[in-house]
Amino acid sequence: MEGQPRVMVCPRCGQPISYVERQRRGNQVYYYAVHYEGYERGPDGRVRKRVRKCYLGPAEYIEVSRTHSDLGLTLKGLMEEGRERDYMEALVKSVRDRIRGGRLTAEGARELATALSRFSEELKELARELSEYAAEEAAHKETAKEAVNETVAAKKALSGH
Ligand SMILES: [Zn+2]
């Protein structure tokens, strides 16, 4: 997507991701964000990179993307289910607390009301874009599935089964 930062930020800890690690266990694939945190000396006396890993989730939530070349991954699901909603809930709570605590001037309250109603238009627009994105992604997935099915069908036809 245009305007996306080059460095992907970890949805778990908010730190830049050095790379994304893929681990296969059984027939499940899991993803971890790996963060480099300087260097350390190992028990064998060798200096090596110190890493910290954040669990991102199973493959269903993380889609290998054809268009986002930065890390080749889109952190789906995690974003919707976590951070953004937390931020928004925190914002609402902080404004309510200020109202209840009488910590706003009339002018401040009016300004905030104006800013928020403007922002709510943007959020509505954003929600619309998200729905469109979801529909497109679902369509891509269907197309990809069909392509796989066709390949399987072709192979079966070739092998005479
Ligand atoms: Zn992290």
Side-chain angles (χ1 to χ4, degrees):
M1 222 168 272
E2 292 92 15
Q4 248 195 342
R6 296 289 305 170
V7 176
M8 194 177 269
V9 165
C10 178
R12 290 278 178 234
C13 70
Q15 295 301 303
I17 297 176
S18 304
Y19 65 92
V20 174
E21 191 178 279
R22 198 169 176 273
Q23 286 185 13
R24 182 180 284 275
R25 254 174 277 147
N27 52 10
Q28 270 283 5
V29 173
Y30 301 91
Y31 285 97
Y32 293 82
V34 180
H35 304 286
Y36 286 146
E37 296 193 317
Y39 294 87
E40 65 182 358
R41 200 172 285 277
D44 54 358
R46 280 204 188 156
V47 173
R48 61 184 177 202
K49 272 180 182 143
R50 185 168 64 202
V51 297
R52 182 171 55 81
K53 292 178 189 179
C54 292
Y55 178 58
L56 294 175
E60 299 95 78
Y61 292 112
I62 297 159
E63 232 183 41
V64 177
S65 165
R66 290 163 292 263
T67 51
H68 305 176
S69 53
D70 286 358
L71 276 164
L73 290 165
T74 309
L75 305 177
K76 277 175 75 185
L78 279 174
M79 315 236 260
E80 290 116 277
E81 100 190 16
R83 261 187 133 64
E84 277 81 358
R85 204 169 53 197
D86 288 349
Y87 285 151
M88 282 190 264
E89 278 169 7
L91 172 69
V92 170
K93 191 182 174 306
S94 103
V95 172
R96 285 237 165 87
D97 285 350
R98 282 157 79 189
I99 294 171
R100 288 196 188 128
R103 274 178 288 137
L104 276 167
T105 61
E107 199 193 342
R110 225 171 277 133
E111 268 173 27
L112 199 51
T114 310
L116 283 178
S117 45
R118 240 181 249 141
F119 191 55
S120 80
E121 288 305 309
E122 268 180 57
L123 282 179
K124 261 185 227 160
E125 175 64 20
L126 188 60
R128 200 184 54 75
E129 281 174 37
L130 279 171
S131 307
E132 277 177 17
Y133 175 83
E136 273 169 36
E137 281 296 298
H140 280 171
K141 230 180 205 170
E142 278 311 304
T143 316
K145 250 186 229 161
E146 276 162 28
V148 169
N149 288 343
E150 273 164 28
T151 312
V152 171
K155 273 187 187 153
K156 275 188 183 157
L158 277 175
S159 63
H161 291 289

